[in-house]
Amino acid sequence: MLASTTLLALLLLANVLSTTSSAQDIAAHGTTNNPIYLDVHPVNTTSFLESLRKLPLSSFRLTNDKDRTRVGIIGQDLARIIPDAVSILPDQTLPTPKKKNKGEAAQTTSTTLRNFPSVNDGLVFMYSVGATQELAKLMDRLLNDNDDQMERISSIFSEINHFEQLLTLTTGENSALRMKEAASKAAIIKNEMELELLRAKHEQERAEMTRASEEEQLRKNEEMTLARIKREDEAARLQAERAMLAKFEASQRIEKAKIE
């Protein structure tokens, strides 16, 4: 859990740093006369936790890479729950790994997909941050409720001890009736105490299940972000290789033309 929290903090820091060139730029231009961020308002994150709870994770294969099974969020599913996190691209070119025979170098081609649902991993990640904050608020409320319940239980035990003392000290003609009345009250108080304990146990179990679910969701989002960065790096590398190859072929043609 500590490693997951550290990775989450690093990803959040990288996302913030990507919006500015350097800390010096912020100091130089982020003044009151020339602000960087405009119309800054707190976001209402009350629905973020429920949105992520409804968001299904699926295993799937992409048309350009049919041999690889992935785990993630389907664009159409995400669009129904967080519409702003999905953009439909008319054409999207993706690298297509080509199977290589033994001894051959790896080759990569490209496939153009139509109406490609592009997922905004950054927005999904920020929804995860908001949902985590809501989960933290829920945990705080549960802890406060638990403290109140413990105080109530302590008060109930004090009342039970008081009734037991009354039962011990009661004498005379009405002692039997008073004992029955005190026993009835003690039984009622004990039942209330058991109900309070049961409710506290159910609330704690629910909070633990919710926290485990949200931690799993954050881990999946982190994996999706890292996978997207890797895909973008691979696409950039392929584009650079194609450009270098085109320049080399052009120079070869020029040299050949000079010789002729």
Side-chain angles (χ1 to χ4, degrees):
M1 180 176 178
L2 181 58
S4 176
T5 305
T6 303
L7 181 57
L8 175 61
L10 290 175
L11 288 173
L12 182 58
L13 179 60
N15 185 67
V16 172
L17 291 179
S18 66
T19 61
T20 56
S21 57
S22 65
Q24 287 77 8
D25 293 335
I26 296 176
H29 304 292
T31 62
T32 3
N33 297 329
N34 185 19
I36 294 176
Y37 304 104
L38 303 176
D39 298 328
V40 178
H41 303 287
V43 175
N44 184 1
T45 59
T46 53
S47 64
F48 286 15
L49 182 60
E50 187 61 27
S51 295
L52 290 186
R53 195 194 307 273
K54 294 177 181 177
L55 196 59
L57 287 176
S58 307
S59 62
F60 56 89
R61 293 181 295 121
L62 292 177
T63 307
N64 68 305
D65 191 2
K66 297 180 180 179
D67 294 331
R68 179 183 174 187
T69 300
R70 307 164 187 261
V71 175
I73 302 173
I74 301 297
Q76 291 83 345
D77 293 337
L78 180 60
R80 287 195 297 269
I81 299 172
I82 311 176
D84 292 340
V86 179
S87 300
I88 303 300
L89 304 180
D91 298 309
Q92 176 69 13
T93 301
L94 298 175
T96 303
K98 185 178 180 181
K99 290 185 178 179
K100 63 176 182 176
N101 297 323
K102 188 175 182 180
E104 293 183 356
Q107 298 181 359
T108 303
T109 59
S110 61
T111 301
T112 300
L113 303 178
R114 308 295 181 188
N115 297 325
F116 183 80
S118 177
V119 175
N120 186 340
D121 293 336
L123 183 57
V124 176
F125 176 74
M126 286 305 163
Y127 262 71
S128 300
V129 173
T132 303
Q133 293 175 347
E134 287 300 314
L135 186 60
K137 295 176 185 176
L138 175 61
M139 290 298 296
D140 290 340
R141 288 196 297 269
L142 289 176
L143 289 175
N144 292 333
D145 290 344
N146 185 61
D147 291 341
D148 293 340
Q149 290 169 1
M150 293 304 296
E151 291 180 2
R152 172 62 177 162
I153 290 171
S154 177
S155 174
I156 289 174
F157 274 115
S158 298
E159 291 181 8
I160 291 175
N161 291 332
H162 177 68
F163 285 131
E164 288 177 347
Q165 291 175 1
L166 288 178
L167 288 173
T168 304
L169 297 175
T170 301
T171 55
E173 296 179 355
N174 298 326
S175 60
L177 181 59
R178 292 178 181 176
M179 288 178 63
K180 290 181 180 180
E181 181 181 0
S184 299
K185 290 182 178 180
I188 293 173
I189 292 173
K190 285 184 177 180
N191 289 336
E192 291 178 351
M193 180 186 66
E194 290 174 355
L195 289 174
E196 291 287 346
L197 290 173
L198 185 61
R199 179 176 175 272
K201 181 179 178 182
H202 287 169
E203 290 291 338
Q204 185 176 3
E205 291 175 351
R206 179 184 174 187
E208 291 175 354
M209 291 177 62
T210 303
R211 180 175 58 188
S213 174
E214 294 303 321
E215 288 177 352
E216 180 65 15
Q217 180 64 43
L218 284 176
R219 186 182 67 80
K220 295 295 184 182
N221 288 339
E222 292 168 0
E223 292 176 354
M224 288 173 54
T225 301
L226 292 175
R228 176 178 61 81
I229 294 172
K230 185 176 180 181
R231 292 196 303 270
E232 292 174 352
D233 290 344
E234 180 65 16
R237 184 185 66 79
L238 290 174
Q239 186 176 1
E241 289 178 355
R242 292 193 189 101
M244 291 179 64
L245 179 60
K247 289 180 180 179
F248 176 77
E249 291 175 350
S251 65
Q252 290 291 92
R253 288 195 296 271
I254 293 172
E255 292 295 331
K256 185 176 179 181
K258 288 180 179 180
I259 295 173
E260 293 176 352

